[in-house]
């Protein structure tokens, strides 16, 4: 007979209606209904008619691995196994209520009716269910579920501790085709190729799925999505800072036979992982850590080594910022108390159990220094807690520790707030307050003994770097080396230089220096030394991260002592202004005027605006070439689009040109009926 699945009612009840209403997409642990129209002449009667339903997932479904289940009509919905019930009166239309347990594998299922002969009724997608109290990903608050599962737009934080900048990103997990691509991503993982049924069975567990996602977002050892590139040369692909959304990246990967997409850096890896997690129903947020340590020899100590000229000759690195994701889930595999947010880092840095993936590790384990907990706790702990020591290697091979060299690691750990565009600081979830007793105990527990820094002012020479308040890209400005002396008069050698740096701490070209200046610093005096940074010197080599690192080395002549100060500055961007023209209504044309002023003393060639918004631009990026924009000149253009769904939506704009790129703006729009 005929069969009818009403996806409209089911998908709306199951919070999957944003995926569309043309096919059945449901969440585990919650019943869904199907209607059977029997052939004329056949009757259904409760208690008399018998049939069985069969659900199957994966290529080799088996009862014992939980990838296949056969069940008959019962009166009630069982909570621990698949079940089907009905309250239809006798007749030839039967409405069935099918219930899935809250811990079965997620993915694409087939549903078959068995009445002696088997009839395939169709397919449905089953997702994790943060609305179901028995599901491992359950979240109690509706506003949290709206933000971490259903919201398709977000903010990613970049910059430095002194200048934290929010960058808009469109996750677009419900845009057309996304769900299928996320399911494909699970099927392309190497564990599926080696044992498909075990892999499908593993998909009942969000810990397992999160690890697969973390491995598959980077393409280091599988047919994963993105290639990492920190070289500065992106000619054969897309510059990482150019992306503003995940949809194009995932489409490009899926539409080109899983060819890896060029190129990603940490925030791109994290944002795409967030899209996939939310699409599958695992609550997820993107997290930025400022002053993030990458520890190569796992001693929880970041050692920087310099030669006498101040050149960095070390392996370990501290990134100005690093971005990963937190996923929300229970951890029945660990002792009690580790449920909730789990850090997972899809940027390929180190192997975990032989694969480039990292996490999930409970934030509580990081905070308490429990480094034996799965997965990869020591690595994430070092990212937010390592101690930094700096040495100079003298020409005779002797190592000298530098004075004043404490670099801060793990500050202003940031994520977008629930339901607003505020920055939510979650440092306290990752670590105890700096210098507190608990923090010290955690370090001991993490087998990490390091001398407490003397908090009192030490006598002698103090060096630091001060900067101007307005450092706009395109401008010339001064930065200052400041030396302060409390002891006898001193004669010092000073090296003060500025160099371009990319966000992962790799230095580029110099753009200003004072070399080998001999300076007298009298007792009780402060000496200020200005270094002028000019656009002509930094403009050609600055990266789209717009970071300049200032390094000051002061060497006392007798006794010979090294002092160092380091500071990274971010140059300010011009703003993109977005103004709506007209009333935002669903399925009606809407225009927005977009404008930007060129801050540089030279023209910008090859200028493009790219505009996208989930539910606004129909899954497409609207690209407008606006040609050349003269020095200090303003460029304006109007974009037209038709919103396809109501509610709060975000329009994201990216500006790109030959000399200025990675400029982003966004506008939240409330679309009415």
């Amino acid at each position: 007979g005929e069969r009818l699945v009403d996806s409209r009612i089911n998908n709306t009840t199951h919070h999957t209606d944003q995926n569309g209403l043309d096919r059945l997409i449901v969440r585990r642990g919650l019943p869904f209904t199907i209607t059977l129209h029997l052939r004329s002449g056949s009757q259904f009667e409760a208690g008399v008619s018998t049939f069985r339903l069969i659900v199957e997932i994966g290529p080799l479904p088996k009862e014992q691995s939980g990838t296949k289940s056969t069940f008959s009509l019962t009166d009630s919905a069982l909570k621990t196994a698949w079940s089907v019930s009905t309250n239809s009166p006798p007749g030839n239309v039967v409405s069935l209520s099918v219930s899935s347990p809250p811990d079965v594998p997620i993915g694409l299922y087939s549903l078959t009716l068995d009445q002696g002969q088997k009839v395939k009724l169709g397919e449905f997608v089953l997702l994790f269910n943060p609305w179901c109290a028995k599901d491992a990903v359950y979240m109690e608050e509706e506003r949290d579920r709206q933000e971490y599962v259903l919201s398709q737009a977000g903010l990613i934080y970049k910059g430095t501790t002194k200048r934290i900048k929010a960058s808009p990103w469109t996750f677009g997990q419900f845009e057309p085709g996304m769900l299928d691509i996320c399911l494909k991503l699970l099927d392309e993982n190497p564990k599926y190729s080696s044992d498909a049924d075990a892999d499908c069975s593993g998909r009942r567990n969000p810990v397992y799925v999160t690890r697969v996602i973390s491995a598959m977002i980077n393409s280091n050892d599988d047919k994963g999505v993105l290639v990492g590139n920190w070289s500065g040369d992106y000619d054969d692909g897309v510059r990482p800072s150019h992306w503003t959304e995940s949809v194009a990246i995932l489409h490009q990967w899926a539409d080109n036979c899983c060819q890896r997409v060029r190129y990603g850096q940490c925030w791109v890896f994290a944002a795409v992982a967030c899209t996939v997690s939310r699409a599958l129903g695992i609550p997820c947020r993107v997290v930025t850590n400022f002053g993030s340590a990458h520890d190569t020899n796992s001693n929880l100590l970041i050692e920087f080594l310099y030669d006498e000229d101040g050149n960095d000759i070390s392996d370990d690195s501290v990134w100005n910022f690093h971005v990963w994701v937190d996923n929300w889930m229970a951890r029945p595999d660990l002792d009690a108390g580790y449920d909730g947010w789990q850090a997972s880092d899809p940027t390929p840095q180190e192997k975990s159990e032989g694969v480039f993936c990292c996490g999930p590790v409970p934030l509580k384990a990081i905070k308490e220094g429990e480094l034996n907990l799965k997965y990869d706790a020591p690595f994430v702990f070092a990212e937010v807690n390592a101690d930094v020591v700096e040495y100079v290697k003298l020409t005779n091979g002797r190592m000298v520790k530098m004075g004043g060299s404490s670099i801060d690691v793990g500050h202003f750990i940031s994520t977008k707030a629930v339901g607003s565009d505020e920055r939510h600081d979650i440092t306290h979830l990752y670590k105890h307050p700096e210098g507190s007793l608990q923090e010290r105990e955690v370090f001991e527990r993490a087998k990490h003994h390091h001398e407490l820094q003397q908090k009192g002012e030490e006598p002698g020479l103090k060096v630091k770097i001060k900067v101007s308040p307005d450092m706009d890209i395109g401008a010339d400005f001064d930065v200052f080396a400041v030396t302060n002396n409390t002891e006898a008069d001193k004669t010092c050698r000073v090296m003060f230089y500025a160099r371009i740096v990319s966000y992962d701490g790799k230095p580029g070209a110099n753009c200003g220096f004072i070399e080998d200046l001999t300076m007298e610093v009298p007792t009780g005096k402060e000496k200020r030394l200005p270094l002028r940074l000019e656009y002509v010197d930094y403009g050609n080599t600055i990266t789209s991260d717009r970071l300049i690192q200032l390094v000051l080395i002061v060497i006392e002549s007798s006794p010979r002592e090294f002092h160092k100060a380091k500071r990274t500055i971010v140059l300010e961007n011009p703003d993109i202004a977005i103004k709506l023209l007209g009333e935002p209504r669903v399925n009606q044309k809407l225009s927005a005027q977009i404008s930007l002023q060129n801050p540089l003393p030279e023209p910008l060639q090859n200028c493009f605006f790219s505009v996208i918004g989930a539910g606004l631009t129909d899954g497409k990026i609207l690209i407008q070439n606006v040609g050349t924009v003269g020095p200090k000149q303003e460029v304006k253009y109007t974009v037209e689009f038709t919103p396809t769904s109501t509610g709060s939506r975000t329009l994201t704009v990216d500006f790109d040109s030959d000399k200025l790129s990675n400029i982003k703006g966004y506008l939240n729009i409330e679309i009415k009926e």
Side-chain angles (χ1 to χ4, degrees):
E2 282 295 301
R3 58 196 175 272
L4 178 73
V5 172
D6 189 344
S7 331
R8 177 179 296 276
I9 292 171
N10 283 316
N11 291 10
T12 306
T13 312
H14 285 251
H15 308 280
T16 60
D17 46 309
Q18 291 191 77
N19 281 304
L21 303 170
D22 51 346
R23 61 173 178 160
L24 185 58
I25 302 166
V26 290
R27 296 185 187 274
R28 58 189 196 171
L30 184 66
F32 61 92
T33 52
I34 54 173
T35 307
L36 301 180
H37 290 257
L38 308 180
R39 272 193 224 60
S40 58
S42 49
Q43 277 273 57
F44 169 82
E45 217 174 313
V48 181
S49 311
T50 61
F51 63 85
R52 300 191 304 169
L53 288 179
I54 304 165
V55 289
E56 297 174 302
I57 184 171
L60 301 158
K62 295 193 191 75
E63 297 267 356
Q64 60 269 37
S65 55
T67 48
K68 175 180 180 177
S69 180
T70 305
F71 49 101
S72 309
L73 201 55
T74 56
D75 296 336
S76 63
L78 288 165
K79 290 285 179 278
T80 51
W82 285 90
S83 63
V84 56
S85 61
T86 181
N87 51 12
S88 287
N92 64 349
V93 179
V94 195
S95 179
L96 300 176
S97 175
V98 181
S99 286
S100 61
D103 59 353
V104 288
I106 57 125
L108 182 64
Y109 279 84
S110 69
L111 179 63
T112 305
L113 176 68
D114 180 4
Q115 285 180 295
Q117 66 191 75
K118 295 190 168 96
V119 184
K120 189 171 170 182
L121 296 178
E123 294 185 323
F124 62 94
V125 177
L126 189 68
L127 301 176
F128 289 109
N129 191 354
W131 283 263
C132 169
K134 290 276 192 305
D135 196 309
V137 300
Y138 174 62
M139 278 194 132
E140 216 168 321
E141 298 289 334
E142 178 59 24
R143 46 198 301 270
D144 290 346
R145 299 187 292 243
Q146 289 289 335
E147 180 72 49
Y148 298 127
V149 184
L150 299 181
S151 175
Q152 298 196 77
L155 298 172
I156 298 175
Y157 295 93
K158 302 181 193 174
T160 70
T161 45
K162 298 266 194 311
R163 304 274 340 168
I164 296 179
K165 299 301 270 278
S167 235
W169 189 276
T170 302
F171 298 115
Q173 67 270 29
F174 303 119
E175 294 286 88
M178 281 299 104
L179 181 55
D180 292 312
I181 292 173
C182 295
L183 294 172
K184 181 184 176 69
L185 182 124
L186 297 182
D187 287 350
E188 291 296 337
N189 99 76
K191 293 187 168 105
Y192 181 87
S193 320
S194 61
D195 186 343
D197 190 58
D199 178 64
C200 286
S201 179
R203 294 180 198 176
R204 69 188 61 228
N205 183 354
V207 176
Y208 180 85
V209 174
T210 297
R211 241 172 123 62
V212 169
I213 294 171
S214 162
M216 285 299 293
I217 295 301
N218 68 70
S219 61
N220 278 35
D221 36 20
D222 46 42
K223 286 157 76 178
V225 179
L226 281 153
V227 185
N229 183 345
W230 287 266
S231 71
D233 175 10
Y234 312 114
D235 287 350
D236 56 344
V238 174
R239 206 175 45 246
S241 61
H242 184 66
W243 302 111
T244 55
E245 46 96 33
S246 311
V247 178
I249 294 171
L250 287 165
H251 263 305
Q252 189 183 323
W253 173 76
D255 299 348
N256 295 313
C257 308
C258 308
Q259 292 288 314
R260 48 204 204 143
V261 177
R262 304 186 164 95
Y263 286 105
Q265 287 178 4
C266 67
W267 67 92
V268 188
F269 289 111
V272 175
C274 181
T275 296
V276 178
S277 300
R278 288 182 184 181
L280 299 175
I282 304 173
C284 187
R285 64 185 180 190
V286 176
V287 172
T288 303
N289 176 34
F290 290 92
S292 194
H294 180 172
D295 179 7
T296 47
N297 60 0
S298 299
N299 59 358
L300 301 186
L301 211 62
I302 302 295
E303 292 145 328
F304 279 118
L305 204 52
Y306 298 88
D307 61 19
E308 280 195 62
D309 298 328
N311 295 315
D312 189 339
I313 50 175
S314 49
D315 288 335
D316 293 352
S317 64
V318 170
W319 295 12
N320 289 304
F321 65 89
H322 183 50
V323 184
W324 58 73
V325 293
D326 286 344
N327 292 95
W328 178 269
M329 68 193 71
R331 291 299 299 265
D333 56 325
L334 303 176
D335 291 344
Y338 292 104
D339 296 347
W341 288 115
Q342 318 281 325
S344 167
D345 187 350
T347 298
Q349 299 179 73
E350 308 280 333
K351 285 194 171 186
S352 166
E353 297 187 341
V355 180
F356 276 98
C357 68
C358 175
V361 54
L363 268 52
K364 184 168 180 273
I366 308 289
K367 184 169 177 170
E368 302 305 338
E370 306 284 2
L371 300 198
N372 54 344
L373 289 183
K374 301 199 289 257
Y375 286 87
D376 314 304
F379 185 79
V380 181
F381 183 87
E383 287 190 310
V384 297
N385 279 308
D387 256 20
V388 177
V389 185
E390 299 191 297
Y391 299 96
V392 180
K393 191 172 188 174
L394 302 177
T395 31
N396 64 14
R398 203 162 71 82
M399 305 275 259
V400 183
K401 201 168 155 182
M402 272 199 208
S405 71
S406 73
I407 287 179
D408 295 334
V409 169
H411 284 286
F412 299 105
I413 303 176
S414 302
T415 190
K416 179 188 170 302
V418 172
S420 84
D421 286 344
E422 298 300 303
R423 183 180 73 86
H424 178 37
D425 194 302
I426 54 171
T427 313
H428 62 284
L429 298 179
Y430 275 89
K431 51 206 293 195
H432 288 287
E434 213 60 59
S436 68
L437 196 60
Q438 293 99 314
E439 185 213 12
R440 299 267 56 87
E441 285 169 0
V442 166
F443 260 106
E444 295 307 312
R445 192 175 307 139
K447 302 281 178 290
H448 181 30
H449 311 283
H450 72 302
E451 298 73 52
L452 274 164
Q453 267 116 19
Q454 271 65 47
K455 286 284 178 268
E457 277 292 293
E458 290 172 38
L461 211 55
K462 281 263 169 293
V463 303
K464 65 177 176 212
I465 298 170
K466 286 198 166 148
V467 298
S468 319
D470 42 340
M471 298 178 293
D472 295 333
I473 183 109
D476 303 338
F477 52 88
D478 285 322
V479 292
F480 302 92
V482 180
T483 44
N484 215 331
N485 186 12
T486 53
E487 286 180 342
D489 297 358
K490 300 211 162 162
T491 306
C492 303
R493 248 177 76 205
V494 178
M495 289 186 275
F496 187 21
Y497 57 93
R499 59 184 176 193
I500 305 301
V501 65
S502 55
Y503 89 97
D504 57 351
K506 287 209 179 62
N510 278 358
C511 56
F513 45 88
I514 294 170
E515 223 177 1
D516 259 9
L517 176 85
T518 305
M519 186 167 79
E520 304 295 328
V521 191
T523 324
K525 284 279 189 319
E526 181 180 273
K527 266 285 185 69
R528 269 185 174 228
L529 182 65
L531 171 61
R532 186 106 182 124
L533 296 188
E534 301 194 352
Y535 178 73
V536 290
D537 298 325
Y538 70 74
N540 282 335
T541 50
I542 196 153
T543 73
S544 55
D545 301 320
R546 284 182 291 280
L547 297 170
I548 296 177
Q549 186 182 60
L550 308 170
V551 180
L552 168 64
I553 295 176
V554 177
I555 304 167
E556 291 180 44
S557 42
S558 59
R560 191 144 171 245
E561 275 184 16
F562 289 79
H563 304 271
K564 176 155 173 288
K566 200 152 107 179
R567 183 160 180 178
T568 303
I569 57 176
V570 191
L571 301 189
E572 286 295 318
N573 251 344
D575 289 324
I576 294 180
I578 310 169
K579 197 166 96 204
L580 278 190
L581 311 171
E583 272 291 293
R585 295 196 177 283
V586 71
N587 299 326
Q588 287 186 21
K589 266 210 176 124
L590 184 61
S591 302
Q593 190 189 64
I594 293 169
S595 57
L596 169 136
Q597 187 181 8
N598 174 9
L600 304 186
E602 55 182 332
L604 299 175
Q605 315 279 347
N606 210 1
C607 300
F608 284 92
F609 282 106
S610 314
V611 178
I612 190 166
L616 295 174
T617 59
D618 199 26
K620 297 180 190 64
I621 306 178
L622 311 176
I623 297 175
Q624 179 68 38
N625 181 350
V626 291
T628 302
V629 182
K632 307 286 182 190
Q633 194 186 328
E634 187 181 40
V635 56
K636 269 192 179 140
Y637 102 100
T638 302
V639 62
E640 269 200 348
F641 52 95
T642 305
T644 49
S645 56
T646 56
S648 177
R649 302 281 162 212
T650 306
L651 191 72
T652 300
V653 181
D654 176 70
F655 175 79
D656 200 37
S657 67
D658 62 337
K659 299 188 191 64
L660 204 55
S661 63
N662 188 16
I663 312 264
K664 317 246 192 261
Y666 68 97
L667 181 68
N668 293 330
I669 307 173
E670 195 62 45
I671 308 292
K672 303 191 177 68
E673 274 298 342

